[in-house]
Amino acid sequence: MPALSPQRARVSELLAARRPFFSLPQAFYNDPEIFRMDLAAVFHKRWIFAGVECEIPDPGDYFTLAIGPTSIVVVRDQTGAINAFYNTCRHRGSRICLAESGALKRLVCPYHQWTYDLSGKLIATGQMHEGFERADYPLRAVNLRRSAGTIYVCLDDDPPDFDAYGPVIEPYLAPHDLRNAKLAHQTHVVVKGNWKLVMENSRECFHCPARHRELMHTFLHDYNFAEPASDPIVRAFWERCAGFGLVCEQQGDDDFRIVRIPLRHGALSSTIDGKSAVSRVLGTMPTNDAGSVRWVHFPSTFNHAFADYAILVRMLPISPLETLFTTKWLVHRDAVEGRDYDLKALVQVWDATNDQDKALVEHNQEGVNSAGYVPGPYSRQAEQGVIRFVEWYAGVLGRHLEESLQCDIVAVKEHEPPRASSGL
């Protein structure tokens, strides 16, 4: 019977040897082979946050994203449906959409002008031989799901259940109406750090009081992460929000968590002065004093929806030591810059926070790469979210290794020659 390859066996041994409640062994943060396993086990098999519906409001509107070396195009077709395709021509593999986003009537390959309609159907090829059937070469579709205005994609042919997540977040976000919001601003930051370090940094606020001066004007961080209902301030806030019909209580499964949490000191929004950044509330929010809906979905996103705006963050791996960190600011679709909001005031807190986190993660990566690095203990009080993520990751990668071995065993059995009959 087959055994794990030397590379897989090494990773399996590292997983088995890691200490619970400690950071991961060094190789998980910088090793190219483990990075390739992360792409296969995590980013190709899980639901990945792609973007929001309001980015592509009209037929022909599209945006692209890259999961490792794989580019995907998300486009709204003439019927209003949203489709996702591999951004790869079926002729000789050229990338089709070269821009990050835009509007088009058809998807046209820039190499030999193979042309697809917005549903992915191949409709023109130019000089092809007799007997060639265009119907045999549509764009390859990527699994896509939507929830509360957000869009997720999965590269695996057999994606995990989305219903354990999508329907859960809908009632929390319904009054924010992200489907009918507007993308007011977007930034891309390349962080010179492994994607796991980026996610770990986002899952704790142990560092916030010392490093995020702007954020800490309004951000509540010192509450019981595991049981927020045990905090009297949070419980009173939930009772008040219930009077407005807002869903608040914490829910979550292995790979996500969502909750509505108050802001500090009576703040209305995540701004320098705690006042609303946008004069129009987001969606149909019944009050401008509703704290924030915080939710995370492993491995690619964490988000905050306030009464007046939302920020959605997408984290995608580029290489073992690089991660693309994208932040989207959403406001009411009819809000006008300069009248209803000042863009500088809107983005100030999170722009500063992102720059600070970039530096923190990059210094973390430099230290992890050192010969002096050994895994250190997480705070079981202040870093529960990090522990939860690391345990989730280790479980996902461990199951991937086990499934790979089982597939190898099945493949060997299918190709074994028949046993000779004993004649009995």
Side-chain angles (χ1 to χ4, degrees):
M1 284 296 173
L4 287 171
S5 67
Q7 295 88 351
R8 290 175 179 172
R10 168 175 164 263
V11 176
S12 183
E13 290 171 1
L14 285 171
L15 279 176
R18 74 181 185 92
R19 296 177 66 180
F21 309 115
F22 275 66
S23 59
L24 293 165
Q26 183 185 62
F28 287 99
Y29 298 118
N30 60 16
D31 183 85
E33 180 62 32
I34 291 182
F35 177 75
R36 286 189 286 271
M37 287 188 187
D38 285 353
L39 289 179
V42 182
F43 284 90
H44 286 192
K45 290 183 177 294
R46 315 300 299 185
W47 288 107
I48 303 301
F49 172 58
V52 282
E53 294 181 37
C54 66
E55 292 182 77
I56 47 174
D58 300 315
D61 290 347
Y62 76 92
F63 64 81
T64 62
L65 66 148
I67 300 174
T70 301
S71 179
I72 298 161
V73 56
V74 179
V75 60
R76 191 181 291 271
D77 69 21
Q78 296 294 346
T79 71
I82 297 177
N83 305 307
F85 304 105
Y86 287 99
N87 191 17
T88 302
C89 184
R90 295 297 307 279
H91 179 209
R92 286 167 55 186
S94 172
R95 183 170 293 191
I96 300 171
C97 294
L98 306 182
E100 178 188 346
S101 61
L104 39 71
K105 293 183 178 179
R106 298 177 183 86
L107 297 159
V108 182
C109 177
Y111 199 173
H112 300 96
Q113 286 71 58
W114 276 36
T115 302
Y116 307 83
D117 69 15
L118 301 179
S119 69
K121 179 182 177 182
L122 180 61
I123 57 176
T125 56
Q127 302 177 46
M128 290 302 291
H129 51 272
E130 184 178 350
F132 173 80
E133 294 291 342
R134 291 175 183 164
D136 294 338
Y137 297 93
L139 289 177
R140 290 188 61 200
V142 174
N143 290 297
L144 181 147
R145 298 288 188 276
R146 297 183 287 169
S147 178
T150 60
I151 302 170
Y152 289 77
V153 295
C154 181
L155 302 185
D156 198 71
D157 292 335
D158 184 22
D161 180 22
F162 188 76
D163 288 344
Y165 170 67
V168 176
I169 70 171
E170 283 274 1
Y172 291 83
L173 297 175
H176 297 271
D177 195 15
L178 301 186
R179 289 186 180 88
N180 294 304
K182 177 176 69 174
L183 182 65
H185 190 61
Q186 177 172 260
T187 59
H188 299 294
V189 177
V190 175
V191 180
K192 294 180 180 179
N194 184 271
W195 71 272
K196 292 185 286 294
L197 289 181
V198 175
M199 177 59 85
E200 286 188 33
N201 176 75
S202 78
R203 292 303 85 222
E204 50 90 1
C205 224
F206 196 5
H207 67 280
C208 291
R211 299 313 306 265
H212 293 320
R213 178 174 57 84
E214 295 83 359
L215 180 65
M216 293 312 294
H217 286 306
T218 62
F219 196 77
L220 184 70
H221 77 290
D222 50 353
Y223 69 95
N224 189 325
F225 175 88
E227 298 181 9
S230 65
D231 188 307
I233 294 177
V234 173
R235 192 165 58 250
F237 169 75
W238 286 358
E239 291 172 356
R240 182 172 60 79
C241 286
F244 291 106
L246 299 175
V247 180
C248 299
E249 290 79 4
Q250 180 171 288
Q251 292 193 67
D253 205 340
D254 288 343
D255 58 358
F256 81 95
R257 175 180 177 271
I258 188 166
V259 66
R260 186 180 292 274
I261 292 294
L263 296 170
R264 299 180 69 197
H265 309 311
L268 301 179
S269 187
S270 184
T271 55
I272 292 296
D273 60 10
K275 297 178 181 179
S276 297
V278 188
S279 61
R280 300 194 64 147
V281 295
L282 189 59
T284 59
M285 285 295 294
T287 175
N288 63 355
D289 184 8
S292 70
V293 175
R294 305 180 186 180
W295 79 104
V296 60
H297 186 272
F298 301 151
S300 62
T301 189
F302 71 88
N303 313 280
H304 300 265
F306 308 99
D308 60 332
Y309 76 93
I311 65 147
L312 307 182
V313 174
R314 186 182 69 202
M315 298 163 285
L316 295 176
I318 299 174
S319 72
L321 300 178
E322 289 184 309
T323 304
L324 180 62
F325 191 93
T326 298
T327 306
K328 303 172 187 287
W329 283 260
L330 305 184
V331 299
H332 191 284
R333 64 179 178 181
D334 296 327
V336 177
E337 182 184 352
R339 184 192 71 189
D340 299 307
Y341 65 95
D342 175 75
L343 185 60
K344 181 180 178 181
L346 175 68
V347 306
Q348 186 176 7
V349 167
W350 291 99
D351 254 357
T353 302
N354 290 348
D355 288 344
Q356 293 153 2
D357 279 335
K358 178 180 188 292
L360 291 172
V361 171
E362 290 179 351
H363 293 323
N364 194 179
Q365 183 71 65
E366 291 166 358
V368 166
N369 291 344
S370 166
Y373 170 77
V374 291
Y378 295 124
S379 166
R380 301 186 200 183
Q381 177 179 339
E383 295 173 303
Q384 296 175 34
V386 182
I387 293 168
R388 185 167 175 266
F389 164 68
V390 169
E391 290 303 314
W392 172 85
Y393 165 75
V396 168
L397 190 59
R399 288 190 293 274
H400 172 76
L401 292 170
E402 179 62 28
E403 290 167 2
S404 298
L405 178 59
Q406 293 303 317
C407 288
D408 290 345
I409 291 172
V410 170
V412 167
K413 286 184 176 180
E414 289 179 346
H415 291 87
E416 283 181 348
R419 295 182 180 181
S421 171
S422 66
L424 297 178

